[in-house]
Amino acid sequence: GAGVSQTPSNKVTEKGKYVELRCDPISGHTALYWYRQSLGQGPEFLIYFQGTGAADDSGLPNDRFFAVRPEGSVSTLKIQRTERGDSAVYLCASRLTSGITDTQYFGPGTRLTVL
Amino acid sequence: KQEVTQIPAALSVPEGENLVLNCSFTDSAIYNLQWFRQDPGKGLTSLLLIQSSQREQTSGRLNASLDKSSGRSTLYIAASQPGDSATYLCAVWDNYGQNFVFGPGTRLSVLP
């Protein structure tokens, strides 16, 4: 049980549909992050959970995006009424504590394509 | 708002060369800076983490330096190998947020 896992690895959907992306963090890690990475760009922060609560959701681009972490482990990123501009790789990362000296461990990402 | 840039955007070198990747950030009030490696279709792998009080970190053939006052960091790769081919991302953790701010990356190709 090693690293952060994300499912699905690839998701193709049509414009206007609803999608859910799942992240399984490293067991015991209390902090969980979602980032979005567009082609040729670095990851951009979306939302950060400490435990079950969203400590910072300032990176969510609009109200079509929502994320939950109901039991403090697995997290789901939900996107409503998808648009072509939502196409990107969505990365999840987890960290053991909220301490700033600890590194984040990244999952392989979910590649979302909106047609 | 913190902004991170990386130069060059892409770099191609023959095997065995030493090389330097550059990272700049606009706000020097950072907690730490981290260099990551990303292979195609994969997540990010942490290479080196430099705390704001440190000047450099070394791991094997990699050496990262930090000049906080000028907002710069460099990643030095010695004796490059084809297996080093990947995208290298620089990220800073600043004093205002709870997350990394990433640069766009440098895409490195090491030719055999």
Side-chain angles (χ1 to χ4, degrees), chain A residues 45-47 56-61, chain B residues 99:
Chain A
F45 169 73
L46 295 177
I47 186 170
D56 182 354
D57 64 358
S58 62
L60 294 177
Chain B
N99 56 274

Side-chain angles (χ1 to χ4, degrees), chain B residues 15-36:
Chain B
E15 181 176 5
E17 275 203 6
N18 302 325
L19 57 99
V20 175
L21 307 182
N22 297 289
C23 171
S24 298
F25 46 96
T26 55
D27 190 332
S28 62
I30 65 169
Y31 281 128
N32 62 46
L33 181 146
Q34 195 156 354
W35 284 91
F36 291 88

Side-chain angles (χ1 to χ4, degrees), chain A residues 33 35 37 40-45 48 56 91 95 98 100-104 106-109 111, chain B residues 31-32 34 36 38 41-46 49 51 89 93 97-105:
Chain A
Y33 303 78
Y35 293 85
Q37 186 174 23
Q41 301 295 318
E44 291 181 304
F45 169 73
Y48 153 58
D56 182 354
L91 294 166
R95 191 168 64 169
S98 60
I100 56 174
T101 59
D102 300 322
T103 192
Q104 295 180 14
F106 282 81
R111 181 176 299 277
Chain B
Y31 281 128
N32 62 46
Q34 195 156 354
F36 291 88
Q38 186 172 33
K42 306 285 187 181
L44 280 65
T45 301
S46 175
L49 171 68
Q51 302 297 341
L89 294 155
W93 193 283
Q98 291 288 332
N99 56 274
F100 278 120
V101 178
F102 282 87

Side-chain angles (χ1 to χ4, degrees), chain B residues 45-78:
Chain B
T45 301
S46 175
L47 297 173
L48 290 165
L49 171 68
I50 311 177
Q51 302 297 341
S52 61
S53 58
Q54 297 175 323
R55 298 282 294 182
E56 66 176 343
Q57 282 286 336
T58 298
S59 176
R61 293 182 294 108
L62 305 180
N63 176 277
S65 68
L66 174 64
D67 184 344
K68 200 171 71 162
S69 61
S70 68
R72 293 181 183 178
S73 175
T74 62
L75 179 66
Y76 176 82
I77 303 177

Side-chain angles (χ1 to χ4, degrees), chain B residues 12-17 80-85 109-112:
Chain B
S12 185
V13 300
E15 181 176 5
E17 275 203 6
S80 58
Q81 302 171 358
D84 295 332
S85 298
S109 296
V110 181
L111 307 175

Side-chain angles (χ1 to χ4, degrees), chain A residues 48-67:
Chain A
Y48 153 58
F49 288 89
Q50 183 61 34
T52 61
D56 182 354
D57 64 358
S58 62
L60 294 177
N62 51 60
D63 62 6
R64 295 186 298 105
F65 288 76
F66 189 71

